Amino acid sequence: MISDVFFVLTVIYVAYVVYIITDTDKNSATNATASRKVPPLIAAKKSQVPKLEPKTTTKAKKATAQTHQPAATAKVELRTVMMKNPKTGEEAKIASNYRMVKRWVKEAMVEEGLLPKIYKTNEMDEKAKAEVAKALSIIKAMDKYKP
């Protein structure tokens, strides 16, 4: 009984969605701008609402931008590249997210001396993130790990 009710409601909903889609297509094909008119009272209220924009000077923008960037972070280009494990010959896509990097890449960064250790997720603070990003960009550029 209940399943029959849900079935009927689902059929009605699907029919409604199809109707709305086809109705919208007809209106957009005939006259896109006049398909739905806004009542004049609502249109007048919309035009009277002022747009609020924060008033900041360029000096204030520069100051806030500088305060939000940690001093330890450097601009490092992070992108997905293909890397090859020299020990096994495995090729893998390596993303910029340290959590998603394969274990052998993390071990290689430690072996190459780019990182002091393999970081756990709960050990990743801002300093560690900057260090890992720099190490990832360096190891991605090494010829030893290119396919």
Side-chain angles (χ1 to χ4, degrees):
M1 178 70 179
I2 294 176
S3 62
D4 294 337
V5 172
F6 283 127
F7 177 75
V8 170
L9 290 175
T10 304
V11 169
I12 291 171
Y13 177 73
V14 169
Y16 173 74
V17 170
V18 170
Y19 171 75
I20 293 298
I21 291 172
T22 56
D23 186 45
T24 306
D25 290 342
K26 289 178 186 176
N27 285 340
S28 64
T30 56
N31 189 359
T33 58
S35 63
R36 301 195 183 208
K37 294 187 178 182
V38 178
L41 182 60
I42 295 173
K45 286 183 181 179
K46 284 184 181 179
S47 64
Q48 293 174 355
V49 176
K51 291 184 180 180
L52 300 176
E53 296 179 10
K55 294 183 181 179
T56 57
T57 62
T58 55
K59 289 181 184 178
K61 288 180 184 177
K62 288 179 184 176
T64 57
Q66 290 175 355
T67 57
H68 289 295
Q69 294 178 350
T73 58
K75 292 285 183 181
V76 180
E77 180 181 342
L78 298 176
R79 57 190 171 93
T80 302
V81 296
M82 289 295 291
M83 289 182 66
K84 180 180 178 182
N85 186 348
K87 295 177 184 174
T88 63
E90 173 193 4
E91 290 186 7
K93 284 186 178 181
I94 305 301
S96 61
N97 187 348
Y98 185 71
R99 266 186 23 185
M100 305 306 284
V101 171
K102 296 232 179 216
R103 181 74 180 182
W104 65 264
V105 176
K106 294 176 183 178
E107 291 171 354
M109 287 190 288
V110 173
E111 289 173 9
E112 296 290 337
L114 300 173
L115 291 177
K117 65 176 186 169
I118 296 175
Y119 289 102
K120 296 179 183 174
T121 305
N122 60 353
E123 298 173 336
M124 296 295 289
D125 58 352
E126 291 300 318
K127 184 179 176 186
K129 285 181 184 178
E131 188 176 1
V132 166
K134 185 176 179 185
L136 270 172
S137 66
I138 292 171
I139 201 164
K140 286 178 182 180
M142 290 183 170
D143 291 333
K144 180 178 178 180
Y145 298 102
K146 290 187 179 179

